[in-house]
């Protein structure tokens, strides 16, 4: 029988009309799915992109949210290794384990994961309904609701002693940022790393760079609170804009510039790439993690300089992580006090306050806002 609950929907994605919290119906889990009672869901900028239209959706309405943690309530007949009562994290990119990319350990490029913006469950059907209409789910999930029916491929069991509202951040922001520094940028001991945009994702790139042994970590963000938090979590220096950062990095590296630069600003505008390229040393790596407006086809970059100086431009999805390896690793680092999660959770909200949560994100008031369920 369908479960009546509530959820935050966008009926007109791309119009900045905000989220409506209303009754939804959730179908029971199919054989390869589980029903999770969520404790918390993070507010990631990628959901805001659905509202602004930077990430356009060809379908509506959509139930948002892709960064959750909770307790399993029901398990489909074909799900193995997960049981009722297990504490779990949802991952915004499932990995099937069998496609070419998963088989090669490139799980963030999974062929099933490639369908996360398709609005339907991996089997092509809808689990959610509202006002008598089928509702699409962000990332096969829809964690802006107290319950979620999730494919087993997007669910990872975690230890019960980890607070679920902190664990929720492991669903997207933490691995995306940490992996951007560790996997995508390949940070090495002694490196100089610049992180451009130190919000919910970028501040974890700072943590990843610190854990990978970078000696100099420069946080670039126009918001003083973001720079201060980044410095508390491992940045050795900070700058408010590209001019200040370029001057600082030039001085710190005696003109060599940064080994790795990671772009995690709220929107990946093309005119941010050139200044990031200037910050990158010869032969260095520039990682782009920010989601860019989908229709943007140009970036500002001095291509000749880029070629002549042998720099590498590297995109990164989900921090190029392999979630089943990296989620337990990150939670282990948290338990040992090496990775900080408590400082990331700036404010909590009821689901009904979701528009305030995104307004606070836009205003630069939160590292992460988190919705807490009963
Ligand atoms: N590639 C992926 O797999 C992936 C996963 C999650 C999020 N993202 C994307 O990463 C980006 C960051 O997400 P978030 O949740 O951290 O957002 P956020 O809003 O929490 O943080 C963005 C930060 O960028 C700063 N900023 C804005 N313009 C800047 C500029 N010109 N220079 C320097 N800093 C600037 C803001 O002050 C803010 O601190 C978004 O585009 C999001 O969609 C990508
Ligand atoms: Zn996200
Ligand atoms: Zn796969």
């Amino acid at each position: 029988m369908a479960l009546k609950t509530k959820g935050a929907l966008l009926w007109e994605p791309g119009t900045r009309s905000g989220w409506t919290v209303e009754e939804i119906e959730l179908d029971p889990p199919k054989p390869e799915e589980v029903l999770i009672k969520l404790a918390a869901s993070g507010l990631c900028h990628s959901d805001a992109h659905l509202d602004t239209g930077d990430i356009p959706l060809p379908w509506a309405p959509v139930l948002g949210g892709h960064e959750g943690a909770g307790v399993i309530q029901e398990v489909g007949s074909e799900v193995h290794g997960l049981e009722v009562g297990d504490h779990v994290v949802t991952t915004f990119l499932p990995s099937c384990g069998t496609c070419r990319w998963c088989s090669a350990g490139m799980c963030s490029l999974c062929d099933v994961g490639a369908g996360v913006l398709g609005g339907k469950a991996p089997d092509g059907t809808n689990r959610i309904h509202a006002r008598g209409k089928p509702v699409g789910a962000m990332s096969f999930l829809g964690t802006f609701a107290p319950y979620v029916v999730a494919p087993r491929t997007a669910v990872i069991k975690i230890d019960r002693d980890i607070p679920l509202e902190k664990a929720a951040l492991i669903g997207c922001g933490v691995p995306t940022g940490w992996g951007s520094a560790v996997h995508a940028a390949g940070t090495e001991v002694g490196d100089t790393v610049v992180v451009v945009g130190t919000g919910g994702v970028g501040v974890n790139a700072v943590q990843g760079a610190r854990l990978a042994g970078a000696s100099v970590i420069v946080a670039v963000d126009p918001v003083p609170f973001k720079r201060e938090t980044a410095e508390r979590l491992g940045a050795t220096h900070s700058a408010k804009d590209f001019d200040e950062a370029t001057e600082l990095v030039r001085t710190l590296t005696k003109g060599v510039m940064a080994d790795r630069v990671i772009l995690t600003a709220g929107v990946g505008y093309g005119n941010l790439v050139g200044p990031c390229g200037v910050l990158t040393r010869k032969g260095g790596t520039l990682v782009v993690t920010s989601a860019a407006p989908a229709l943007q086809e140009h970036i500002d970059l001095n291509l000749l300089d880029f070629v002549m100086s042998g720099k590498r431009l590297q995109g990164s999805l989900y921090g190029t992580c392999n979630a089943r390896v990296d989620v337990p690793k990150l939670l282990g680092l948290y338990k040992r006090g090496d990775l900080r999660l408590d400082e990331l959770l700036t404010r909590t909200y009821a689901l009904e306050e979701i528009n305030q949560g995104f307004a606070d994100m836009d205003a630069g008031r939160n590292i992460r806002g988190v919705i807490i369920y009963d």
Side-chain angles (χ1 to χ4, degrees):
M1 221 178 68
L3 170 73
K4 277 195 176 32
T5 180
K6 60 184 175 178
L9 307 183
L10 287 178
W11 284 86
E12 295 177 81
T15 60
R16 297 178 186 267
S17 48
W19 303 84
T20 320
V21 178
E22 59 188 279
E23 185 178 277
I24 60 169
E25 289 194 1
L26 265 184
D27 291 342
K30 290 201 172 180
E32 297 210 34
E33 297 173 344
V34 297
L35 173 70
I36 305 166
K37 184 178 192 309
L38 291 173
S41 171
L43 297 174
C44 173
H45 210 116
S46 297
D47 284 297
H49 288 312
L50 304 181
D51 191 22
T52 61
D54 285 335
I55 299 179
L57 294 178
W59 44 271
V62 55
L63 172 65
H66 60 278
E67 198 180 72
V71 180
I72 294 196
Q73 305 292 302
E74 272 182 63
V75 177
S77 57
E78 295 300 317
V79 175
H80 308 289
L82 292 171
E83 289 172 12
V84 171
D86 280 349
H87 288 210
V88 293
V89 163
T90 62
T91 70
F92 85 90
L93 266 182
S95 74
C96 73
T98 56
C99 74
R100 174 199 163 151
W101 314 102
C102 286
S103 303
M106 294 186 262
C107 296
S108 64
L109 300 179
C110 174
D111 282 338
V112 176
V116 288
L117 294 176
K120 304 216 186 275
D123 70 357
T125 59
N126 288 89
R127 250 8 118 249
I128 309 156
H129 295 83
R131 303 185 204 174
K133 294 197 168 78
V135 174
M138 172 62 159
S139 280
F140 299 140
L141 297 168
T143 59
F144 294 162
Y147 291 88
V148 61
V149 171
R152 62 169 179 79
T153 47
V155 178
I156 296 181
K157 184 175 166 177
I158 62 169
D159 291 346
R160 290 187 187 209
D161 58 352
I162 294 165
L164 287 167
E165 72 280 10
K166 314 280 167 43
L169 307 180
I170 302 287
C172 175
V174 175
T176 299
W178 176 86
S180 295
V182 172
H183 297 312
T187 301
E188 293 180 3
V189 173
D191 275 351
T192 294
V193 177
V194 180
V195 180
V196 179
T198 52
V201 171
V203 80
N204 292 300
V206 168
Q207 297 210 78
R210 170 174 53 79
L211 286 163
S215 295
V216 176
I217 304 171
V218 180
V220 185
D221 201 296
V223 180
F225 159 63
K226 307 291 181 99
R227 300 198 295 273
E228 285 154 22
T229 308
E231 289 193 5
R232 275 214 308 283
L233 296 187
T236 54
H237 301 78
S238 67
K240 67 177 185 317
D241 56 26
F242 280 117
D243 285 348
E244 203 175 287
T246 306
E247 196 53 42
L248 178 64
V249 172
R250 191 167 280 133
T251 306
L252 290 169
T253 62
K254 299 190 172 67
V256 171
M257 307 309 280
D259 301 287
R260 333 267 155 190
V261 176
I262 301 164
L263 178 57
T264 44
V267 185
Y269 293 120
N271 62 5
L272 301 179
V273 179
C276 285
V278 171
L279 283 165
T280 310
R281 69 154 161 81
K282 285 198 270 189
T285 300
L286 163 51
V287 172
V288 179
T289 299
S290 299
L295 299 179
Q296 170 186 287
E297 293 190 338
H298 299 282
I299 57 172
D300 295 349
L301 185 69
N302 186 319
L303 204 49
L304 184 63
D305 168 68
F306 218 75
V307 171
M308 302 304 270
S309 53
K311 296 177 190 178
R312 178 196 299 254
L313 181 59
Q314 173 73 54
S316 180
L317 185 59
Y318 206 3
T320 318
C321 282
N322 177 345
R324 282 185 201 281
V325 175
D326 288 322
V327 166
K329 185 181 288 182
L330 288 165
L331 289 171
L333 287 167
Y334 170 63
K335 280 195 190 175
R336 284 191 291 277
D338 292 331
L339 179 82
R340 313 285 282 275
L341 298 181
D342 301 8
E343 291 83 348
L344 307 183
L345 201 165
T346 318
R347 275 185 188 78
T348 61
Y349 303 88
L351 182 61
E352 289 72 13
E353 297 170 316
I354 187 167
N355 288 311
Q356 184 59 48
F358 278 116
D360 288 344
M361 168 194 283
D362 278 346
R365 285 192 278 264
N366 290 348
I367 299 296
R368 256 307 188 249
V370 173
I371 293 171
I372 302 289
Y373 300 111
D374 307 334

